Amino acid sequence: MRADHRRPRRLTGDGVVRVPDGLGDVARSEVLRFEVLGPLRVLRAGSELDLGYPQARALLGVLLVWPGRPVRMSTIVDVLWPGRPPADAPNAVRRHVGTLRRLLEPGLPPRAPGRRLLGRTGGYLLEAAAHEADLPRFRAFTRRGMRAAATARPEQAVRHFAGALRLWRGPVAAGLPGPVRAHPHFAAVDREILRTARMAADAALLCGRADQVLPSVRRAVALNPLDEPLLARLILSLAACGLQAEALATYEDARRDLAAQLGVAPGAELAAAHARVLRRQIRPARHRLPAAPPDPARPFVRPAQLPPDLPVFTGRNRELTALDALLDGETAGAPQTAPDALRGAEAVPDAPAPSTGVCPASGVLISGPAGVGKTALAVHWAHRVADRFPDGQLHLELGGSAPHQAALEPAEALRRLLGALGVSPRSMPEGVAALAARYRGVLAGRRLLVLLDDAACLAQLRPLLPEAPGCLTVVTSRGGPIGPRPVAEPAGPAGRLGLSGSRERAAGALRTLYLGLPCEADARDLLARRIGAARPAAEPEAVREIVRRCGRLPSALALVAARAASRRDFPLAALAADLAEDAEP
């Protein structure tokens, strides 16, 4: 009998494993592919595996950075538990190791080490062949490119560098929690990718092949918008491909971002690239790219994307008054002192009232802890003032606090906003800087209200601020003394996005409204509005206990109200007793 499962596998030129026809089920089940250059994935025979809990996924990501090399337990613990790890962290790691072993090798006997995830003195390693994991293949392509570049063979270097960059699908280990991905263990891989993108651009510019690496250089800049050496290469590559106007626009965006966010002017390398573009001193690529054709004349699309207002919204009178005062002050074009509820904003400078009716680049950031009602307040107020923005309202979920997934990238966010404004996908440029410029151009002369919900960090938010007279941007973001969510930018004193002083000016003079818990009267009213006034009036003590047990959090009160509404015969005192029982250890 022929042992089909022993037939050899073939490795194609792109590193993909091809399974010969007739391969047995046993061998086919052992064909694994590990991917970390983008979303963290493991595929068996083409099907993605469920990697389970976030910490098990993070452990696998740590080991995939250097497959075949042991990683010390101290490093694993440091990555999996940023800050202070629990006392039993090593035991938890061992449990995750066991889970991953059974996942990677189904049928492995209990406590058997297997052949994939192996223990070593003081740590663990993942055994994966070079063709099974994307990062070793990336490094192999990069080494070949470096050797070709060092021996004056730029065309071969471009081919190898481009092969490496084709394996790069997005932020390294995307999908892992932000604090985990921020660890130097993963940041070192980000630097490898940036170095490869820079070397690819240099080789391509040298031999007239800039068109072959331009998409990868654009993606690298989108993830690292303040990297001047990378920006210089992007500008030169755009000009080499015949995209002179986009190259100059990219420089202007970079110059403005550097001044706003870092308070510096472009360095020598970036300035020299700009000068070369102006003087047309760049070798053209062999295949020049056509500029995006202008959109055919079409009427302006008036978006109306606001979510429905909450019919039972109540309270927040002080905050609504503060927001109204902000808008009224800016409509008059006069500097005013922000109400007490608004913090961190700088005075609007004296200027004539713009004809559009709202000060340039005006906006507000509503910040606060989870469940406090930031989105409800933002949506409610947006409906109150929507008639003052006759060109429509935009709404976008940024996913800053979405569990188990990365926040929306600025480039994708801009594409969605442009699409809502009627811009066709084929005419949208590549890269965050060009997309942001197009967004500002579409909004020029318009009066729109833009609601950006659940922002993650300043780097995500900055390109989405239109900086257009007549437009108002309302941003919500989780943060506050009640357990702020870690963000990529340093948080301010109240856990905000770090928008204060020069950083606030960089984000378009956003004023910050910190939203705390509602007062007890508003919390009771919120409950009454959802279940009717009769039951709370009949059981005032139970209502006070429910409000206390819910910590006055609107989201918690809404859940209790939903339960009460579904059981109209259920006393509120019984609900309060259930909450008290749930709170007991």
Side-chain angles (χ1 to χ4, degrees):
M1 179 182 233
R2 189 172 64 182
D4 283 344
H5 64 277
R6 295 182 181 176
R7 292 174 60 184
R9 294 170 290 179
R10 296 197 308 270
L11 179 62
T12 64
D14 62 357
V16 177
V17 175
R18 305 296 187 206
V19 181
D21 293 336
L23 188 66
D25 290 340
V26 174
R28 190 182 299 275
S29 69
E30 294 177 355
V31 176
L32 294 178
R33 289 187 61 182
F34 300 91
E35 298 179 352
V36 71
L37 294 176
L40 181 65
R41 301 196 308 167
V42 179
L43 298 96
R44 175 180 285 118
S47 298
E48 185 172 353
L49 303 182
D50 182 357
L51 300 178
Y53 293 109
Q55 286 182 328
R57 298 174 62 88
L59 170 60
L60 183 62
V62 171
L63 300 176
L64 277 175
V65 168
W66 286 104
R69 294 189 187 181
V71 181
R72 296 182 60 84
M73 176 67 82
S74 57
T75 300
I76 295 173
V77 170
D78 193 35
V79 175
L80 268 57
W81 290 276
R84 178 178 294 179
D88 66 340
N91 289 332
V93 171
R94 295 183 189 100
R95 290 194 295 271
H96 293 316
V97 166
T99 300
L100 289 174
R101 279 175 173 162
R102 291 188 292 273
L103 177 70
L104 299 178
E105 300 181 71
L108 190 68
R111 301 186 182 277
R115 64 181 186 84
R116 285 290 186 181
L117 216 165
L118 306 176
R120 291 292 182 265
T121 303
Y124 292 94
L125 68 81
L126 177 73
E127 199 65 74
H131 63 267
E132 292 181 311
D134 58 358
L135 190 46
R137 291 162 57 206
F138 176 91
R139 288 169 173 147
F141 274 122
T142 298
R143 285 193 298 270
R144 295 186 198 116
M146 293 171 65
R147 285 196 295 267
T151 52
R153 295 177 291 146
E155 292 192 5
Q156 290 89 333
V158 169
R159 186 167 63 250
H160 294 312
F161 287 138
L165 293 169
R166 276 195 296 271
L167 297 170
W168 175 42
R169 297 167 291 108
V172 173
L176 295 184
V180 172
R181 286 193 61 253
H183 190 275
H185 195 74
F186 293 113
V189 183
D190 287 326
R191 291 194 296 272
E192 287 186 59
I193 295 169
L194 295 185
R195 185 171 62 250
T196 298
R198 289 194 289 264
M199 292 187 295
D202 289 339
L205 288 166
L206 192 61
C207 64
R209 302 274 186 180
D211 56 296
Q212 295 186 13
V213 300
L214 178 58
S216 296
V217 178
R218 274 177 163 153
R219 281 200 299 140
V221 167
L223 294 176
N224 303 270
L226 299 180
D227 186 311
E228 291 195 56
L230 199 57
L231 282 164
R233 287 159 173 83
L234 174 60
I235 289 168
L236 295 175
S237 299
L238 288 167
C241 292
L243 304 176
Q244 181 94 357
E246 187 179 344
L248 295 174
T250 299
Y251 173 80
E252 287 302 318
D253 287 342
R255 181 187 60 77
R256 182 172 55 249
D257 289 345
L258 288 167
Q261 299 188 39
L262 301 180
V264 299
E269 187 173 5
L270 187 54
H274 180 235
R276 288 181 61 190
V277 173
L278 291 174
R279 297 168 186 160
R280 299 184 181 272
Q281 296 176 331
I282 301 166
R283 177 179 178 176
R286 299 182 188 181
H287 301 285
R288 293 165 70 81
L289 303 178
D295 275 346
R298 64 172 71 185
F300 177 78
V301 173
R302 184 186 183 279
Q305 295 186 330
L306 286 183
D309 193 8
L310 193 65
V312 294
F313 186 91
T314 186
R316 299 299 190 188
N317 294 324
R318 177 171 172 267
E319 290 83 359
L320 290 168
T321 299
L323 292 169
D324 288 340
L326 166 69
L327 185 57
D328 290 339
E330 293 191 343
T331 302
Q336 295 192 0
T337 302
D340 289 342
L342 290 165
R343 300 294 184 193
E346 304 213 350
V348 179
D350 284 310
S355 61
T356 51
V358 180
C359 267
S362 57
V364 63
L365 165 69
I366 301 176
S367 173
V372 80
K374 301 179 293 297
T375 298
L377 174 64
V379 170
H380 181 73
W381 185 66
H383 279 281
R384 280 178 37 151
V385 301
D387 59 348
R388 299 168 71 167
F389 299 89
D391 290 317
Q393 314 93 36
L394 291 169
H395 171 251
L396 189 61
E397 293 275 356
L398 299 180
S401 60
H404 311 313
Q405 67 183 51
L408 194 65
E409 295 290 341
E412 178 59 25
L414 286 164
R415 291 189 191 97
R416 295 186 189 183
L417 292 170
L418 287 169
L421 294 169
V423 178
S424 64
R426 68 178 181 83
S427 67
M428 293 184 193
E430 293 289 336
V432 174
L435 286 165
R438 185 67 184 278
Y439 179 50
R440 291 193 298 271
V442 173
L443 293 184
R446 307 288 180 179
R447 294 174 60 185
L448 275 92
L449 176 63
V450 183
L451 175 56
L452 303 176
D453 196 17
D454 196 17
C457 61
L458 180 59
Q460 180 198 37
L461 178 62
R462 178 66 180 86
L464 310 182
L465 299 175
E467 300 180 1
C471 294
L472 176 72
T473 304
V474 181
V475 183
T476 70
S477 175
R478 182 177 297 189
I482 307 176
R485 175 181 183 270
V487 293
E489 297 291 330
R496 308 182 184 100
L497 282 169
L499 300 179
S500 60
S502 62
R503 284 190 180 275
E504 183 171 51
R505 289 192 297 272
L510 282 177
R511 296 176 184 253
T512 302
L513 170 63
Y514 177 72
L515 193 62
L517 293 170
C519 67
E520 186 169 345
D522 283 350
R524 292 198 301 267
D525 192 32
L526 186 153
L527 193 64
R529 291 285 296 272
R530 287 178 175 269
I531 65 175
R535 294 171 70 185
E539 299 184 77
E541 288 299 325
V543 170
R544 277 192 285 272
E545 180 65 11
I546 289 172
V547 168
R548 187 178 72 84
R549 291 290 180 183
C550 290
R552 307 204 309 271
L553 268 178
S555 59
L557 289 166
L559 291 174
V560 173
R563 185 178 175 192
S566 67
R567 293 285 306 275
R568 295 188 177 277
D569 58 337
F570 202 63
L572 296 182
L575 278 177
D578 285 351
L579 292 174
E581 184 178 341
D582 291 342
E584 291 178 1

PDB file of all heavy atoms in Angstrom, residues 65 76 96 108 210 220 296 302 324 372 384 488 491:
ATOM      1  N   VAL A  65       7.644  36.091  16.562  1.00  0.00           N
ATOM      2  CA  VAL A  65       8.608  37.128  16.170  1.00  0.00           C
ATOM      3  C   VAL A  65       9.953  36.504  15.813  1.00  0.00           C
ATOM      4  O   VAL A  65      10.630  36.940  14.873  1.00  0.00           O
ATOM      5  CB  VAL A  65       8.737  38.175  17.291  1.00  0.00           C
ATOM      6  CG1 VAL A  65       9.931  39.103  17.038  1.00  0.00           C
ATOM      7  CG2 VAL A  65       7.456  38.983  17.394  1.00  0.00           C
ATOM      8  N   ILE A  76       8.026  36.948  28.052  1.00  0.00           N
ATOM      9  CA  ILE A  76       6.637  36.569  27.784  1.00  0.00           C
ATOM     10  C   ILE A  76       5.705  37.232  28.793  1.00  0.00           C
ATOM     11  O   ILE A  76       4.674  37.816  28.427  1.00  0.00           O
ATOM     12  CB  ILE A  76       6.485  35.036  27.819  1.00  0.00           C
ATOM     13  CG1 ILE A  76       7.290  34.396  26.676  1.00  0.00           C
ATOM     14  CG2 ILE A  76       5.023  34.638  27.737  1.00  0.00           C
ATOM     15  CD1 ILE A  76       7.345  32.883  26.739  1.00  0.00           C
ATOM     16  N   HIS A  96      -1.552  28.511  28.984  1.00  0.00           N
ATOM     17  CA  HIS A  96      -1.730  28.951  27.597  1.00  0.00           C
ATOM     18  C   HIS A  96      -0.886  28.093  26.648  1.00  0.00           C
ATOM     19  O   HIS A  96      -1.305  27.802  25.522  1.00  0.00           O
ATOM     20  CB  HIS A  96      -1.353  30.424  27.452  1.00  0.00           C
ATOM     21  CG  HIS A  96      -2.282  31.362  28.178  1.00  0.00           C
ATOM     22  ND1 HIS A  96      -3.650  31.230  28.141  1.00  0.00           N
ATOM     23  CD2 HIS A  96      -2.028  32.444  28.965  1.00  0.00           C
ATOM     24  CE1 HIS A  96      -4.209  32.185  28.872  1.00  0.00           C
ATOM     25  NE2 HIS A  96      -3.239  32.937  29.379  1.00  0.00           N
ATOM     26  N   LEU A 108      -2.789  15.407  20.370  1.00  0.00           N
ATOM     27  CA  LEU A 108      -1.586  15.285  21.199  1.00  0.00           C
ATOM     28  C   LEU A 108      -1.980  14.774  22.579  1.00  0.00           C
ATOM     29  O   LEU A 108      -2.893  15.302  23.211  1.00  0.00           O
ATOM     30  CB  LEU A 108      -0.911  16.651  21.323  1.00  0.00           C
ATOM     31  CG  LEU A 108       0.489  16.695  21.947  1.00  0.00           C
ATOM     32  CD1 LEU A 108       1.491  16.022  21.023  1.00  0.00           C
ATOM     33  CD2 LEU A 108       0.898  18.145  22.212  1.00  0.00           C
ATOM     34  N   ALA A 210      10.365  52.913  -9.313  1.00  0.00           N
ATOM     35  CA  ALA A 210       9.635  53.409  -8.145  1.00  0.00           C
ATOM     36  C   ALA A 210       8.189  52.930  -8.121  1.00  0.00           C
ATOM     37  O   ALA A 210       7.603  52.756  -7.048  1.00  0.00           O
ATOM     38  CB  ALA A 210       9.673  54.936  -8.113  1.00  0.00           C
ATOM     39  N   ALA A 220       3.561  52.320   4.491  1.00  0.00           N
ATOM     40  CA  ALA A 220       4.488  52.538   5.603  1.00  0.00           C
ATOM     41  C   ALA A 220       4.340  53.955   6.164  1.00  0.00           C
ATOM     42  O   ALA A 220       4.346  54.154   7.379  1.00  0.00           O
ATOM     43  CB  ALA A 220       5.922  52.278   5.143  1.00  0.00           C
ATOM     44  N   PRO A 296     -16.414  63.268 -12.440  1.00  0.00           N
ATOM     45  CA  PRO A 296     -17.337  63.996 -13.307  1.00  0.00           C
ATOM     46  C   PRO A 296     -18.227  64.895 -12.474  1.00  0.00           C
ATOM     47  O   PRO A 296     -18.460  64.656 -11.291  1.00  0.00           O
ATOM     48  CB  PRO A 296     -18.150  62.866 -13.974  1.00  0.00           C
ATOM     49  CG  PRO A 296     -18.001  61.700 -13.070  1.00  0.00           C
ATOM     50  CD  PRO A 296     -16.635  61.823 -12.451  1.00  0.00           C
ATOM     51  N   ARG A 302     -25.590  65.296   0.132  1.00  0.00           N
ATOM     52  CA  ARG A 302     -25.876  65.792   1.473  1.00  0.00           C
ATOM     53  C   ARG A 302     -26.098  64.597   2.398  1.00  0.00           C
ATOM     54  O   ARG A 302     -27.162  63.984   2.388  1.00  0.00           O
ATOM     55  CB  ARG A 302     -27.111  66.684   1.486  1.00  0.00           C
ATOM     56  CG  ARG A 302     -27.389  67.317   2.852  1.00  0.00           C
ATOM     57  CD  ARG A 302     -28.712  68.073   2.844  1.00  0.00           C
ATOM     58  NE  ARG A 302     -28.932  68.733   4.110  1.00  0.00           N
ATOM     59  CZ  ARG A 302     -29.409  68.149   5.209  1.00  0.00           C
ATOM     60  NH1 ARG A 302     -29.699  66.853   5.182  1.00  0.00           N
ATOM     61  NH2 ARG A 302     -29.579  68.834   6.323  1.00  0.00           N
ATOM     62  N   ASP A 324     -23.842  74.345  23.940  1.00  0.00           N
ATOM     63  CA  ASP A 324     -24.541  75.414  23.234  1.00  0.00           C
ATOM     64  C   ASP A 324     -23.737  76.710  23.271  1.00  0.00           C
ATOM     65  O   ASP A 324     -23.636  77.433  22.271  1.00  0.00           O
ATOM     66  CB  ASP A 324     -25.922  75.650  23.853  1.00  0.00           C
ATOM     67  CG  ASP A 324     -26.909  74.532  23.540  1.00  0.00           C
ATOM     68  OD1 ASP A 324     -26.657  73.789  22.554  1.00  0.00           O
ATOM     69  OD2 ASP A 324     -27.907  74.402  24.262  1.00  0.00           O
ATOM     70  N   VAL A 372     -20.622  56.014  30.648  1.00  0.00           N
ATOM     71  CA  VAL A 372     -21.092  57.232  31.291  1.00  0.00           C
ATOM     72  C   VAL A 372     -22.064  58.010  30.410  1.00  0.00           C
ATOM     73  O   VAL A 372     -22.704  58.953  30.872  1.00  0.00           O
ATOM     74  CB  VAL A 372     -19.896  58.109  31.697  1.00  0.00           C
ATOM     75  CG1 VAL A 372     -19.362  58.910  30.491  1.00  0.00           C
ATOM     76  CG2 VAL A 372     -20.238  59.023  32.858  1.00  0.00           C
ATOM     77  N   ARG A 384     -29.858  68.400  18.216  1.00  0.00           N
ATOM     78  CA  ARG A 384     -30.347  69.735  18.606  1.00  0.00           C
ATOM     79  C   ARG A 384     -29.813  70.817  17.692  1.00  0.00           C
ATOM     80  O   ARG A 384     -30.492  71.829  17.460  1.00  0.00           O
ATOM     81  CB  ARG A 384     -29.940  70.043  20.053  1.00  0.00           C
ATOM     82  CG  ARG A 384     -30.838  69.386  21.068  1.00  0.00           C
ATOM     83  CD  ARG A 384     -30.429  69.642  22.493  1.00  0.00           C
ATOM     84  NE  ARG A 384     -29.893  70.952  22.843  1.00  0.00           N
ATOM     85  CZ  ARG A 384     -30.024  71.498  24.052  1.00  0.00           C
ATOM     86  NH1 ARG A 384     -30.699  70.850  24.998  1.00  0.00           N
ATOM     87  NH2 ARG A 384     -29.493  72.651  24.329  1.00  0.00           N
ATOM     88  N   ALA A 488      -2.568  55.401  22.597  1.00  0.00           N
ATOM     89  CA  ALA A 488      -1.220  55.472  22.039  1.00  0.00           C
ATOM     90  C   ALA A 488      -0.528  56.775  22.408  1.00  0.00           C
ATOM     91  O   ALA A 488       0.678  56.839  22.499  1.00  0.00           O
ATOM     92  CB  ALA A 488      -1.279  55.322  20.518  1.00  0.00           C
ATOM     93  N   ALA A 491      -1.845  60.307  27.946  1.00  0.00           N
ATOM     94  CA  ALA A 491      -3.131  60.839  28.370  1.00  0.00           C
ATOM     95  C   ALA A 491      -2.928  62.091  29.196  1.00  0.00           C
ATOM     96  O   ALA A 491      -1.928  62.278  29.871  1.00  0.00           O
ATOM     97  CB  ALA A 491      -3.900  59.787  29.173  1.00  0.00           C
TER      98      ALA A 491
END
